[in-house]
Amino acid sequence: MNARPSCLSISGLTAILPNGSRVLRSVSLDVKPGEVHALVGESGAGKSMIGKALLGVLPPSVRQVEGSIALEGTELETLGAAARRRLIGARTALIPQDPLTALNPSRRIGPQMSDRLTHILGWPAERARNRIREMLAEVHIREPDRVIAAYPHELSGGMRQRVLIAAAFAAEPRLIVADEPTTALDVTVQKQILRLIADLQRQHGTAILFVTHDLGVVAKISQSVTVLYAGMVVERAPTPALFATPQHAYTRALMAATPRYTDPASSLQPVGSAVLAELALEVQNADNEWKRAHG
Amino acid sequence: MILQKFLLRLITMAVTLFGVAVVVFIVIRVAPGDPIAMMLPPGAGPEDIARLRALYGLDKSLPHQFLIWLGGVVQGDFGTSISLRQDVLSLVLGRLPATLELATVALLIALIIGGPLAVIGARERGTAVEAGIDVAGGAALSIPDFLWGLVLILLFGVLAPIFEISGRVSPSLDLPFSTQFYLVESILRLRFDLTADLLSHMFMPALALALPLAAIITLLLKQSLKEVMDLDYVVLARVKGFSETQVILREALKNAALPTLTLIGVQFTFLIGGTVIVERLFSYEGLGNMAIDAVINRDLPLIQGIVLVFALIFVLINLAVDLSYALLNPRLRHG
Ligand SMILES: Nc1ncnc2c1ncn2[C@@H]1O[C@H](COP(=O)(O)OP(=O)(O)OP(=O)(O)O)[C@@H](O)[C@H]1O
Ligand SMILES: [Mg+2]
């Protein structure tokens, strides 16, 4: 019904481990241009795996066996490895979970921020430098020169995450995967970083696939949601609709476990056993169906 | 703070060298064989022996001999070679450049072979290519340098005589050099004909010395690279659009090189130790070859001088490794 192609369109995405078990069970989801799409689910649900699959960085032990991923209408599968890499490099970016490990300890911040611009997008060094300074100002870093010349260990965790956020937005990507970008940070810094991402997202009009296990964050930042359980999509809805009329018992259980959606510090409580039994049955059915279809 | 570290380092080095001096001094005097007996013509009388012993100071007690020798060493006087009747220091310094050039070329060959193979192996991890590299590395490692020397002599000296098999430089050539660093000088003087001749002589001994080290560099660096390849910042570089090779060279190599570097330092000292036999094998006129002659002739002052120079080289290599380690690791540099 929408004429504009989705920013990201995943359909039937299935990934398996070497032992044949599925980590992603026919996942489909759509991210519209400029929207924040939240991906919620408990630990191990496969949230990061979806992000890695679309960014082309699945771990070697995980194999995508089915499904398609399209970036702004371009099927990644139709591209050769190099073209695919360039497309992902130009159109997407990643804000990682842990800013401590996501920066190379032996390289200065400046080059780490600008190398995509200069080496992949072919910007002249001068233009890339100016862009990096602009972006550092946008993430409220007051001493850009010091930060550009610094090594990662000379910056605090919050500062590093600001640097990574600035770098992610620098090339004006269409889609950013933010994989629990605040969980590794101090509680006091989490709110600031969340607000920063939301502000930049609005100003730049960038679509974000926002991975989180926190419904409070979902309510605050996203326009639509996909709820994931054991690599399976449980529910998919616009955010207001999800909170107003949750369809699946699992979603309702998650909400019951998070009394105040607005408190990002609250975390999930265990889900009731009746709901878990229902989920197990659904996973079982999905697996049986998949086995039937694939011999 | 840094000055303190530096002083401590100097003291450690001095103590190490002193220890080596003591051990060598004692060992070669306790070992069987009398240098004087080997110098004398048949039929020399006991008074001749006594006279020569006194001349070389061998009639005094061990501690006394040591003090005399040490006193000289401190002033730059390493004594006189018994067999060659020349100043030990100038003999050693005359041969040292040949060995340093050989060892350096060997190290470069090891890096040129090992570095790219490690990168290729890491890029092709889990494939037949990596398995092949592992097998080749294991083979290169399990054959010692002098056996490689024999293999190379068979291959490139006998079967396909491409390279010079013996000596440091063709004797027919006119050498315009003013130092013993022939290779360096030939390059500086743009006499590339001489460079080619020197390298042709150097190639086989250097390759023999390099192969085991190349294998170690390949296997260890590949392993370190593979460990780095799954870290977050490497994954982030892939998302930026860099190819696997670019990712290895730009993000992984520097951090993965640190553990390899330490090992190269240790292994390089082994490589220099290996020059003793390999130089002999190829009649290469370096310090190692001279060391064997010195031992055969029980030339005590010369042995001491050579060993001390080797020890000094080892200590300096360790220092260089530590310095480059600090240079590669910003955390160490600032902390
Ligand atoms: N490198 C890997 N090799 C094999 N299996 C993996 C690998 N990484 C993750 N998995 C498995 O894949 C499943 C999904 O993992 P994923 O990291 O996507 O979870 P997640 O939803 O992001 O969880 P979290 O909230 O803890 O980050 C998990 O069951 C996990 O054990
Ligand atoms: Mg995750």
Side-chain angles (χ1 to χ4, degrees):
Chain A
M1 18 173 189
N2 200 335
R4 283 168 85 189
S6 297
C7 179
L8 168 70
S9 174
I10 295 177
S11 74
L13 181 62
T14 300
I16 60 169
L17 295 179
N19 64 13
S21 70
R22 296 196 292 168
V23 273
L24 294 179
R25 297 176 152 90
S26 232
V27 170
S28 300
L29 64 82
D30 254 45
V31 181
K32 296 198 196 73
E35 81 164 352
V36 177
H37 187 105
L39 196 52
V40 269
E42 53 200 81
S43 186
K47 307 181 295 292
S48 298
M49 213 55 92
I50 293 176
K52 284 176 185 163
L54 82 91
L55 295 173
V57 289
L58 278 176
S61 52
V62 178
R63 202 158 54 87
Q64 178 187 334
V65 288
E66 234 174 45
S68 79
I69 302 172
L71 274 178
E72 297 189 301
T74 308
E75 289 284 346
L76 292 184
E77 221 152 76
T78 61
L79 302 175
R84 185 172 166 160
R85 214 173 51 229
R86 274 196 301 276
L87 183 80
I88 290 171
R91 303 269 181 91
T92 74
L94 170 67
I95 301 177
Q97 173 166 1
D98 188 353
L100 298 186
T101 54
L103 287 164
N104 188 332
S106 65
R107 294 180 64 208
R108 291 178 196 277
I109 297 292
Q112 297 200 55
M113 291 184 70
S114 61
D115 57 5
R116 182 206 309 256
L117 303 178
T118 51
H119 286 72
I120 304 299
L121 303 177
W123 291 24
E126 180 69 26
R127 181 175 165 214
R129 221 176 3 252
N130 291 337
R131 179 67 177 155
I132 292 308
R133 293 164 157 282
E134 251 171 63
M135 286 312 305
L136 286 175
E138 284 194 38
V139 296
H140 313 304
I141 283 179
R142 266 184 233 100
E143 305 168 280
D145 290 318
R146 186 181 76 81
V147 169
I148 283 172
Y151 284 97
H153 71 271
E154 297 168 319
L155 304 180
S156 70
M159 285 279 265
R160 292 189 216 189
Q161 195 58 302
R162 283 170 198 275
V163 162
L164 286 163
I165 291 168
F169 280 96
E172 296 291 359
R174 306 298 168 80
L175 174 74
I176 289 178
V177 176
D179 191 347
E180 307 200 40
T182 62
T183 23
L185 301 173
D186 280 355
V187 180
T188 48
V189 187
Q190 289 188 353
K191 272 187 183 165
Q192 299 170 17
I193 294 295
L194 201 61
R195 180 157 334 118
L196 187 62
I197 294 176
D199 288 348
L200 285 175
Q201 187 272 332
R202 225 171 303 115
Q203 288 156 22
H204 292 256
T206 317
I208 296 188
L209 183 65
F210 197 101
V211 172
T212 178
H213 51 247
D214 190 330
L215 281 178
V217 172
V218 173
K220 226 179 200 171
I221 202 173
S222 71
Q223 284 87 53
S224 57
V225 196
T226 297
V227 181
L228 207 65
Y229 179 85
M232 189 177 70
V233 174
V234 169
E235 183 162 1
R236 210 170 32 215
T239 307
L242 184 94
F243 283 97
T245 53
Q247 297 298 307
H248 198 282
Y250 179 63
T251 315
R252 285 195 292 274
L254 287 184
M255 285 180 186
T258 317
R260 294 181 302 132
Y261 309 136
T262 46
D263 181 2
S266 69
S267 59
L268 294 182
Q269 303 295 310
V271 175
S273 58
V275 178
L276 286 180
E278 188 185 332
L279 285 167
L281 190 66
E282 283 182 30
V283 170
Q284 180 85 57
N285 287 340
D287 281 356
N288 287 342
E289 198 176 310
W290 194 69
K291 279 199 199 102
R292 250 199 319 281
H294 296 80
Chain B
M1 184 59 202
I2 285 180
L3 189 71
Q4 237 175 6
K5 262 192 199 160
F6 183 69
L7 281 178
L8 195 70
R9 193 63 200 247
L10 277 186
I11 294 171
T12 322
M13 285 168 59
V15 170
T16 308
L17 290 177
F18 181 80
V20 170
V22 173
V23 170
V24 172
F25 196 89
I26 293 173
V27 165
I28 59 177
R29 275 168 179 74
V30 172
D34 184 348
I36 302 297
M38 306 197 58
M39 301 174 64
L40 287 172
E47 65 279 8
D48 295 328
I49 294 179
R51 201 160 40 76
L52 266 176
R53 292 190 78 85
L55 181 64
Y56 286 101
L58 297 173
D59 53 341
K60 305 199 172 60
S61 72
L62 261 189
H64 194 174
Q65 286 184 40
F66 183 70
L67 284 182
I68 292 175
W69 177 68
L70 195 67
V73 167
V74 170
Q75 295 166 38
D77 175 12
F78 285 69
T80 306
S81 157
I82 296 177
S83 60
L84 300 171
R85 321 241 156 118
Q86 286 178 49
D87 181 42
V88 165
L89 188 62
S90 51
L91 279 173
V92 168
L93 290 185
R95 284 293 188 94
L96 180 60
T99 297
L100 286 182
E101 286 189 345
L102 179 64
T104 308
V105 169
L107 179 64
L108 288 179
I109 292 177
L111 288 171
I112 289 170
I113 297 175
L117 279 182
V119 170
I120 292 170
R123 198 186 60 199
E124 308 291 329
R125 56 193 176 284
T127 67
V129 174
E130 193 198 359
I133 288 176
D134 284 342
V135 169
L141 246 185
S142 52
I143 300 177
D145 44 21
F146 58 90
L147 280 185
W148 275 121
L150 291 176
V151 171
L152 291 174
I153 288 176
L154 273 178
L155 282 180
F156 297 120
V158 180
L159 286 181
I162 308 170
F163 298 102
E164 299 291 340
I165 205 170
S166 143
R168 187 180 181 197
V169 66
S170 296
S172 56
L173 289 175
D174 241 357
L175 301 179
F177 301 135
S178 51
T179 70
Q180 293 293 318
F181 287 99
Y182 289 178
L183 191 65
V184 176
E185 254 202 277
S186 73
I187 295 169
L188 290 182
R189 288 173 189 266
L190 307 180
R191 288 291 306 274
F192 297 124
D193 54 325
L194 296 179
T195 311
D197 184 74
L198 285 162
L199 285 178
S200 174
H201 282 84
M202 228 181 237
F203 179 75
M204 282 197 281
L207 187 60
L209 289 166
L211 281 175
L213 181 57
I216 291 175
I217 293 175
T218 304
L219 298 178
L220 188 76
L221 185 59
K222 175 165 74 65
Q223 191 52 39
S224 309
L225 281 172
K226 280 166 67 181
E227 277 161 23
V228 180
M229 290 314 286
D230 293 328
L231 297 185
D232 287 354
Y233 61 82
V234 178
V235 171
L236 192 61
R238 286 196 198 102
V239 173
K240 286 175 183 173
F242 288 104
S243 73
E244 201 61 12
T245 309
Q246 285 173 316
V247 166
I248 292 175
L249 296 180
R250 296 173 55 85
E251 304 282 348
L253 194 56
K254 201 168 161 189
N255 295 313
L258 286 177
T260 312
L261 190 70
T262 319
L263 199 86
I264 289 178
V266 177
Q267 293 296 327
F268 189 49
T269 56
F270 286 155
L271 187 153
I272 291 182
T275 58
V276 173
I277 293 183
V278 170
E279 280 183 4
R280 191 65 167 193
L281 201 57
F282 290 92
S283 308
Y284 185 87
E285 292 118 23
L287 203 52
N289 211 341
M290 182 186 255
I292 290 185
D293 286 332
V295 170
I296 290 174
N297 294 323
R298 300 291 185 276
D299 192 338
L300 303 186
L302 189 54
I303 297 175
Q304 284 159 194
I306 293 174
V307 170
L308 214 53
V309 165
F310 271 123
L312 183 66
I313 295 175
F314 293 174
V315 167
L316 290 179
I317 289 172
N318 281 324
L319 185 68
V321 168
D322 287 357
L323 285 180
S324 42
Y325 203 90
L327 221 66
L328 278 175
N329 190 343
R331 222 172 289 236
L332 263 168
R333 191 173 359 169
H334 295 271

